[in-house]
Amino acid sequence: MNPRGEAPSYQVWALPGFPEVQDGDNLAKLVADAATARGLPGLAHGDILLVTSKIVSKAEGRIVEAADREAAIDAETVRVVARRGPTRIVETRHGFVMAAAGVDASNTPAGTVLLLPEDPDASARRIRDGLREVLGVDVGVVVTDTFGRPWRNGLTDVAIGAAGVRVLDDLRGGTDTYGNPLSATVVATADELAAAGDLVKGKADGLPVAVVRGLPHVVSSADEAGPGPRENGRGENGPRENGPRENGRGESGRGEGVGQQGEDGGHGGGGGEGGRALVRPAADDMFRLGTSEAVREAVLLRRTVREFTEEPVDGAAVRRAVAAAVTAPAPHHTTPWRFVLLESAESRTRLLDAMRDAWIADLRGDGFSEESVAKRIRRGDVLRKAPYLVVPCLVMDGSHTYPDERRNAAEREMFVVAAGAGVQNFLVALAGERLGSAWVSSTMFCRDVVRGVLGLPSGWDPMGAVAVGHAAVSPPARGDRSAEAFVTVR
C-alpha cells in the first residue's frame, strides 16, 4: 500500500496510429503527435515511454543492404555463444547476448536487413530530450527489443537502452518483510517495464510505442528536483493528486507525482546509467556459452600457468576436477588413476626438498658444474610457488601379462595413454573451476623418492606433478595451429 492507503497500481497503453518510420524522422515529434492525439491521455511528468528498437533503427538509418543475412550477423557479432543448426546465439558489439545479433529481415524491403541502434542509450536520451523540448514533460524512455531466455520457453521484450529510468533496483542491504537480509536481490526494473509494454504493443499489431503511468519512482528527474509542482506539456497548471502534474495535452494525468533523481545523474539530465547497466560482462556470466561451445572452449581454456597468487585453493574444486579426470577412457574397464593431493605446506616442502636432492645427485653424476646444477634446479620453482600440488599416479591393476616383452610393453603403453587422458581431463576441469595449473614431469624421474616421502604403495607410479592455484597473470594468447599440419588422410 502507498502512504495514502491505496493499492499499488499502474496503467499501460499503446499509442495507435503511429506512422511508418523513415530514415531521418524525428521520433520525439512522432511520439508526441501520437501521444496527444484526440482521445488519448497525453504524456505527463513521470510517465515512461517503451519504444520498440525497430523504429529507432529505421529513424537512424540502420537499414543496410544485405543479400546474405548471415553475413550481416557475422559483422555484428563479437562472440558466438551457442549454435544449433542455422540458429546462432551471439554477443553483439553492445554486449547483448541474443539470437542473430538482433539482425532483422522482417518489415524491411527485400534485400535489406535492420540492425540494432548503434547506441540504444543515446537513442533513448535523444527521444527523452526531444519530448521535453516539444511537450515540456520529463519522462523516462526505454528502448526495447525481443529476446529469448535461458531455461524458459517463449520470447519477451527487454530493455536495450534507457534514459531517465532507474534500470536496476538494488535491494541488497535491506530486509524482507520477515527481517531477513537481502544479499543478492537486484531487480531488473527496465526489463520489467519492457515486458509490460509488450503486452499492449504486441508483436504484429503495428504498435511500436507504449506508455506506462503510475510508476514515477523509477523515473529520474531532468533537473534533479524532487516531488513538487510541475507544469504540463502546454505550460498549464491543473488538478493533481500529489502535486501538480499534467499530460502533454493540458489534461490532468494520473499517478503519484514525479520520481526521484537517478543515483548517478547520467546523461540527458539525470538519465541514470542507461541500459548498459543491465548487461553482465561475459567474464562474470556463469552461463556464457552453450553446452557444445563450452566443451570446446574448456579444452582451449587449459593453459600452463607458472605464477600464482596467494589466494587459497578450494579443495572441493580440486576434488571435482578429479571426478572429471576419472571419466577418461581406460583399457579393460580398469581405473588406472590415483591422485595424491598435497594440501599442507609441510607435505609439499618435504616432497620438493627430497626431489631436489635427488635431482642434484643426478645432475652431479652427469658431470654438470655447480652453476649449471643451480640453474637447472630453479626450473622447479613453479612447484614451490604453487599453493597446492597434486601428484597423479598410474596403477596397473587389471592389466594383462604376456609371455613376450613386445606385448607387455604395448600393455603398459595402453595404461600410460589412459593416465595421460586422465591428467588432461584433470587440467581441463581445473580450468573450468577458474584454477590455473602447470603439469611438470619431475616426479617421473624419482619415483622411488616420491613413493617413499608420500608413503605410497610400490605399484603407484607418479606421472609428474601438477601445480594448482589462481593465476597471477593471464597467460599470453594462444597461437593458432592449423589441424592440417597434424593430419594425414589415407
Side-chain angles (χ1 to χ4, degrees), residues 76-397:
E76 294 294 301
T77 296
V78 298
R79 179 173 66 91
V80 176
V81 175
R83 186 193 303 266
R84 297 295 180 272
T87 301
R88 278 189 287 171
I89 308 299
V90 305
E91 180 182 341
T92 72
R93 292 180 292 103
H94 316 78
F96 307 140
V97 175
M98 60 191 308
V103 175
D104 194 345
S106 62
N107 296 310
T108 184
T112 66
V113 295
L114 199 60
L115 309 181
L116 291 176
E118 184 74 27
D119 183 347
D121 286 334
S123 303
R125 291 194 296 270
R126 283 191 290 270
I127 296 172
R128 186 186 193 216
D129 292 343
L131 287 170
R132 185 185 304 118
E133 181 179 345
V134 173
L135 297 179
V137 291
D138 285 333
V139 297
V141 176
V142 175
V143 178
T144 70
D145 202 272
T146 302
F147 278 42
R149 302 161 299 159
W151 311 299
R152 307 284 289 179
N153 287 322
L155 305 170
T156 188
D157 268 20
V158 302
I160 65 169
V165 174
R166 290 188 177 140
V167 298
L168 294 170
D169 187 9
D170 191 347
L171 302 180
R172 292 173 297 182
T175 58
D176 63 17
T177 55
Y178 290 91
N180 300 309
L182 300 175
S183 59
T185 305
V186 181
V187 179
T189 305
D191 284 345
E192 294 180 327
L193 291 167
D198 193 41
L199 291 174
V200 294
K201 288 190 297 181
K203 296 299 182 190
D205 298 330
L207 301 171
V209 180
V211 181
V212 168
R213 177 168 295 171
L215 300 174
H217 58 281
V218 305
V219 179
S220 55
S221 169
D223 58 8
E224 301 190 12
R230 287 180 176 267
E231 293 183 336
N232 61 33
R234 296 289 176 84
E236 304 166 3
N237 286 322
R240 58 193 181 270
E241 293 177 324
N242 190 31
R245 52 177 295 135
E246 297 287 329
N247 58 39
R249 296 176 58 244
E251 302 169 0
S252 66
R254 298 178 60 189
E256 297 297 328
V258 297
Q260 300 172 2
Q261 169 65 17
E263 293 180 3
D264 65 359
H267 298 280
E273 294 181 278
R276 185 166 295 277
L278 293 160
V279 178
R280 177 184 292 129
D284 297 333
D285 194 343
M286 295 175 65
F287 309 97
R288 63 181 298 269
L289 291 171
T291 303
S292 299
E293 291 73 20
V295 170
R296 287 195 292 271
E297 180 162 302
V299 175
L300 301 177
L301 193 63
R302 187 222 56 83
R303 303 295 304 278
T304 297
V305 174
R306 300 183 182 278
E307 297 290 338
F308 302 96
T309 69
E310 296 181 357
E311 182 179 353
V313 172
D314 180 7
V318 176
R319 286 164 174 78
R320 289 193 293 269
V322 171
V326 299
T327 65
H332 314 317
H333 304 289
T334 59
T335 54
W337 316 279
R338 301 294 185 270
F339 292 85
V340 184
L341 310 184
L342 305 186
E343 296 188 327
S344 71
E346 185 275 331
S347 65
R348 294 192 295 271
T349 299
R350 189 159 47 87
L351 173 64
L352 294 176
D353 285 350
M355 289 172 55
R356 178 200 57 203
D357 294 344
W359 193 4
I360 290 174
D362 285 343
L363 292 173
R364 286 173 175 167
D366 293 338
F368 285 96
S369 67
E370 290 303 309
E371 182 181 356
S372 294
V373 169
K375 183 177 180 180
R376 289 171 178 266
I377 288 298
R378 284 196 294 271
R379 297 176 185 174
D381 285 351
V382 62
L383 297 179
R384 288 192 179 272
K385 292 178 181 178
Y388 198 109
L389 292 181
V390 177
V391 178
C393 295
L394 165 68
V395 297
M396 296 287 291
D397 297 351

Side-chain angles (χ1 to χ4, degrees), residues 395-433:
V395 297
M396 296 287 291
D397 297 351
S399 62
H400 296 176
T401 302
Y402 298 92
D404 57 276
E405 185 58 30
R406 174 180 60 83
R407 285 184 288 176
N408 282 329
E411 182 76 6
R412 179 172 174 81
E413 287 175 1
M414 283 198 307
F415 276 76
V416 170
V417 168
V423 171
Q424 171 72 353
N425 274 11
F426 180 64
L427 300 179
V428 169
L430 287 175
E433 297 281 353

